[in-house]
Amino acid sequence: MRLRRWAAGHIRLDYPRKSRRGVWRWLPSWRQVALLFLFCLGSLTGLLSYLYLQTDIPKNLNDFATQQDNVYYWADGSEMARTGPVNRQEVPLDKVPEKVQWAVLAAENASFYSDSGVSPSGLTRAMTRMVTGGETQGGSTITQQYVKNAYLNQRQTFSRKLTEMFMAIKLDDRMSKEEIFQRYLNTSWFGRGTYGIQRASYAYYGKDVSKLNPSEGALLASLLKGAGTFDPTLSAKNHDRAVERWKWVLDRMVDIGKLSASERAKYTKFPEPKATPRPVGLTGQVGYLVETAKAYVNSHTEISDADFDLGGYQIHTTFQKGKVDALAKAVKKTRDSLDPKNRPDDRHVHIGAASVDHNGGIAALYGGPGYLEQGFNDANASTVPAGTAFTPFVYAAGLRDGVLRERNGERTPVSPTTLYDGNNKVAVHTPEGPYWDRSGQIVRASNDGDTSYGQVSLRQAVVQSINTPMMQLGMDVGLDRVRRASIDAGLLPSSFGARVPAFSLGTATPSSIRMASAYGTFAAGGTHTPPYSVSGLTRNGEKLDLRKDPAKRAFSAQVASDVDDALRGAAQSGTGPASGASVVGADVAGKAGTAQDGTSAWFVGYTKDLSTAVSLSRVDPKSQELLPLKGLGGAGAATSGDAYPLDIWTRYMGASTRR
């Protein structure tokens, strides 16, 4: 760089350059650019060298020496359940079949035995994604992953990434590749609470790791990318992802020369793992409660599944033991009245129930006959049509948004006294005219028992559960607006299917938790508070951040009051008293519901403190399709299953209000 002597002992930079004129004075020379680059490079090298020297490998592993249970507490602070400890068992590398080893290497780091512990290209990608806000996965070698798992944490920060890189380089110098790989296999998380490939082999295939074949090894290798995403038993989407990843791993083994094409051709059938084992001790309803609370922590914190499985967390739930026991007792009385051994129509009955306070806290739920007997949580199932229990949302949408009866017309308001045609088999209309189905027939709504009522008010239609006005109201409001109002009340967007006229009569399949919460919106004056099952989370005495979804206004106080009035009418003078709903108290509001095809029955209602939903269905265990309720209980009537949800609701709510 051109420098000039200036005064005794001083050096001045020739910039801007005096020998140039105009814009050229401000353009550095190639010597200046080169020296600046060398200066920056030298500074960066010095900084990295300093950080490298300052980074050391801890003597103790990260968390594995202090594994703990996770403890769940009832709402009153008493202990509800413990889960853990972490399921981990070390195994020597030579006990892992070589092709299973290469399945892992093919999936995670094919160049492991030749790299220096870090991947410059992968690190560059990870840093770039980190800076741009993208995912950082994919930038780590197996050595780096082991360092992260064993010594550091899972946070994706720049400083943590640098530390991981320096420790990986040092570890690669101090240990053999075989030792690093063995440690990696013994400390990696494979889901299902398991750390290490030996316990994973038992968790997924029920056998020692030494007996795994390459196909099974490829599935376990796939889990390293994220067991919550690739465990095929968790969901249909997971299964699809797992199959694709499994195929890719086997093909990758062929590409790197570790599996012959002829042997690859043997593995065409996906190696289905066994079902997820259920934790011992989570008997009765407790398992469903723990599962629900764990899912809430997973979706409302930054804690990964792997970190959570290491244990040490204290989860304070909203579940009230007295109410959980009362709800289970109410359901048991109904189950005891059935005779599945002698009556085929009493078999395969599923009952889901949930009780939510008007602040959103889930006080109780009933998920099934017992967690160890049935792992599927019926309280959170989104498979049971809401039927006519859905019509209050149609009513609320009409009161809130008004109706549009003529093409290019204006929306006009409706009120509880607005009259609609309550006759049976009336044609359904859109602003353009009659609604035609795909077979070329005009769609006509039907009332229960084919009863005609003449002109009825909208309030009367809700109170007496008259279908035809509700179906037409939904068309007049617009099914997209009905859907929006239902979501605002608390139902999930995933609950809804096709928007056809029957939509207004409850083709949606919300969970019992969501139905109880959504009805609670009317009790709370139109404000919806999303349901939650965890009120607080700590670890080793330290309070952890737990996001809580904010309450939002769904309807005006007047709209909520009008819907509440209709639901009180339904409980006091509509369908409720026939089964005794009004005996719970004068402040009861609620509605029964049945699916149009007779495959589901509901009762959803609330008092001033609590909203509870009960659903009942029958499910074919082979096809998982809903079966008709006709004949349930031996009555032989088409609506024989209708009374059970209300009976359960009445027994439970009666016991709860007396507490």
Side-chain angles (χ1 to χ4, degrees):
M1 188 177 294
R2 183 178 296 175
L3 302 173
R4 292 183 177 179
R5 294 285 175 183
W6 178 66
H10 290 76
I11 297 177
R12 183 168 66 85
L13 177 67
D14 184 19
Y15 187 83
R17 295 187 288 169
K18 290 186 176 299
S19 60
R20 297 289 187 272
R21 295 291 181 267
V23 70
W24 298 103
R25 293 188 63 204
W26 301 96
L27 293 177
S29 68
W30 69 269
R31 293 186 182 86
Q32 290 173 332
V33 172
L35 288 174
L36 180 61
F37 173 77
L38 292 174
F39 174 77
C40 293
L41 182 62
S43 299
L44 180 61
T45 301
L47 176 62
L48 293 177
S49 298
Y50 173 77
L51 293 175
Y52 176 81
L53 293 173
Q54 292 297 309
T55 301
D56 202 1
I57 299 175
K59 294 181 179 179
N60 297 320
L61 292 177
N62 176 18
D63 290 322
F64 291 106
T66 57
Q67 297 166 4
Q68 303 174 62
D69 291 340
N70 288 324
V71 186
Y72 294 80
Y73 296 92
W74 294 103
D76 64 4
S78 59
E79 186 175 314
M80 180 174 74
R82 290 175 177 261
T83 60
V86 170
N87 189 2
R88 186 169 69 91
Q89 179 181 345
E90 292 193 6
V91 62
L93 186 62
D94 60 11
K95 296 294 184 183
V96 181
E98 184 177 355
K99 289 182 180 177
V100 173
Q101 295 180 36
W102 276 106
V104 173
L105 292 170
E108 296 293 311
N109 184 191
S111 63
F112 170 71
Y113 281 106
S114 60
D115 64 38
S116 61
V118 296
S119 168
S121 60
L123 186 63
T124 301
R125 287 195 305 271
M127 294 297 186
T128 302
R129 291 171 184 167
M130 195 179 303
V131 170
T132 58
E135 295 184 358
T136 58
Q137 285 82 0
S140 298
T141 64
I142 276 179
T143 307
Q144 287 175 266
Q145 290 182 52
Y146 170 67
V147 165
K148 178 179 65 177
N149 293 340
Y151 300 111
L152 302 174
N153 56 54
Q154 304 296 319
R155 298 187 186 95
Q156 297 291 352
T157 62
F158 186 79
S159 60
R160 208 277 292 144
K161 203 71 180 175
L162 280 178
T163 302
E164 172 194 300
M165 178 183 71
F166 295 140
M167 289 179 66
I169 294 172
K170 286 190 173 184
L171 199 69
D172 197 71
D173 288 337
R174 297 182 186 181
M175 293 184 185
S176 69
K177 288 288 189 179
E178 289 76 11
E179 185 177 2
I180 294 172
F181 190 36
Q182 175 177 300
R183 292 190 177 196
Y184 169 79
L185 290 176
N186 284 322
T187 56
S188 292
W189 183 67
F190 288 84
R192 300 190 178 185
T194 62
Y195 282 80
I197 197 167
Q198 172 73 316
R199 298 314 305 165
S201 181
Y202 277 103
Y204 288 89
Y205 291 110
K207 57 186 175 183
D208 190 89
V209 67
S210 63
K211 298 186 177 352
L212 291 177
N213 63 40
S215 178
E216 295 162 336
L219 185 275
L220 294 186
S222 300
L223 298 170
L224 293 167
K225 190 174 177 64
T229 303
F230 290 94
D231 183 342
T233 64
L234 297 181
S235 69
K237 289 184 178 179
N238 267 30
H239 193 278
D240 292 342
R241 285 190 289 258
V243 171
E244 288 301 313
R245 181 72 176 172
W246 165 77
K247 290 179 180 177
W248 179 86
V249 172
L250 290 174
D251 291 341
R252 177 71 173 149
M253 291 177 69
V254 175
D255 291 341
I256 63 176
K258 299 302 177 181
L259 187 68
S260 68
S262 60
E263 188 171 5
R264 169 66 181 92
K266 297 177 183 178
Y267 303 119
T268 57
K269 184 179 179 181
F270 183 67
E272 299 285 354
K274 65 180 186 177
T276 305
R278 303 186 188 107
V280 177
L282 300 183
T283 57
Q285 298 304 303
V286 172
Y288 303 118
L289 305 181
V290 167
E291 175 191 77
T292 302
K294 182 180 178 181
Y296 188 86
V297 170
N298 180 263
S299 61
H300 288 77
T301 70
E302 301 303 321
I303 300 169
S304 69
D305 288 339
D307 276 345
F308 194 80
D309 280 348
L310 283 173
Y313 293 94
Q314 296 81 47
I315 303 95
H316 299 269
T317 76
T318 60
F319 302 124
Q320 300 177 36
K321 189 176 188 304
K323 286 183 169 57
V324 171
D325 291 343
L327 185 54
K329 185 177 180 180
V331 176
K332 184 177 185 299
K333 189 167 184 178
T334 289
R335 286 194 177 278
D336 288 346
S337 70
L338 302 176
D339 188 9
K341 290 184 178 180
N342 299 310
R343 289 198 298 260
D345 291 332
D346 286 4
R347 296 169 189 166
H348 315 309
V349 172
H350 285 252
I351 298 173
S355 197
V356 181
D357 67 41
H358 298 329
N359 293 318
I362 304 174
L365 59 80
Y366 178 89
Y371 187 69
L372 299 184
E373 179 180 345
Q374 175 193 296
F376 183 74
N377 185 351
D378 284 320
N380 203 31
S382 55
T383 55
V384 185
T388 45
F390 182 79
T391 56
F393 306 118
V394 183
Y395 184 43
L399 296 174
R400 184 181 77 173
D401 297 344
V403 297
L404 180 65
R405 295 195 178 99
E406 296 180 2
R407 186 175 184 181
N408 300 322
E410 294 184 357
R411 301 193 76 83
T412 58
V414 295
S415 72
T417 59
T418 299
L419 296 178
Y420 265 71
D421 191 342
N423 286 319
N424 190 49
K425 299 294 185 181
V426 296
V428 176
H429 285 75
T430 71
E432 288 79 19
Y435 186 96
W436 301 78
D437 63 19
R438 292 184 178 181
S439 64
Q441 300 293 318
I442 293 177
V443 173
R444 298 179 181 276
S446 299
N447 292 323
D448 289 343
D450 291 332
T451 304
S452 290
Y453 297 85
Q455 293 292 303
V456 297
S457 70
L458 290 177
R459 180 186 185 278
Q460 182 184 353
V462 175
V463 170
Q464 295 185 248
S465 198
I466 306 172
N467 294 341
T468 52
M470 288 294 103
M471 186 180 284
Q472 185 58 55
L473 177 63
M475 299 302 291
D476 292 345
V477 175
L479 298 181
D480 56 337
R481 289 176 179 261
V482 173
R483 180 180 184 275
R484 181 71 261 168
S486 308
I487 292 171
D488 291 343
L491 303 190
L492 295 177
S494 58
S495 303
F496 303 97
R499 274 165 271 180
V500 295
F503 182 90
S504 296
L505 298 183
T507 58
T509 55
S511 68
S512 298
I513 293 173
R514 283 288 168 172
M515 278 292 272
S517 174
Y519 265 60
T521 299
F522 303 125
T527 298
H528 172 63
T529 303
Y532 64 97
S533 56
V534 179
S535 58
L537 182 68
T538 58
R539 193 181 195 202
N540 299 326
E542 179 184 355
K543 188 175 181 179
L544 303 178
D545 290 335
L546 182 70
R547 295 189 300 274
K548 185 177 179 181
D549 300 319
K552 294 182 180 179
R553 177 158 289 282
F555 310 105
S556 68
Q558 184 60 55
V559 169
S561 177
D562 288 341
V563 178
D564 174 72
D565 175 65
L567 290 174
R568 288 177 186 275
Q572 300 296 330
S573 60
T575 57
S579 298
S582 59
V583 302
V584 173
D587 64 339
V588 168
K591 192 174 185 320
T594 54
Q596 294 301 290
D597 61 0
T599 58
S600 68
W602 288 75
F603 191 85
V604 191
Y606 54 83
T607 61
K608 61 184 177 64
D609 299 316
L610 207 59
S611 179
T612 300
V614 182
S615 70
L616 182 144
S617 62
R618 295 176 62 232
V619 181
D620 186 316
K622 293 183 179 179
S623 67
Q624 294 301 303
E625 293 181 354
L626 296 181
L627 300 170
L629 298 180
K630 183 179 180 180
L632 181 65
T639 56
S640 58
D642 295 4
Y644 291 122
L646 184 50
D647 288 347
I648 293 169
W649 188 93
T650 302
R651 283 194 293 269
Y652 164 68
M653 292 294 279
S656 295
T657 55
R658 291 193 294 270
R659 289 184 178 277

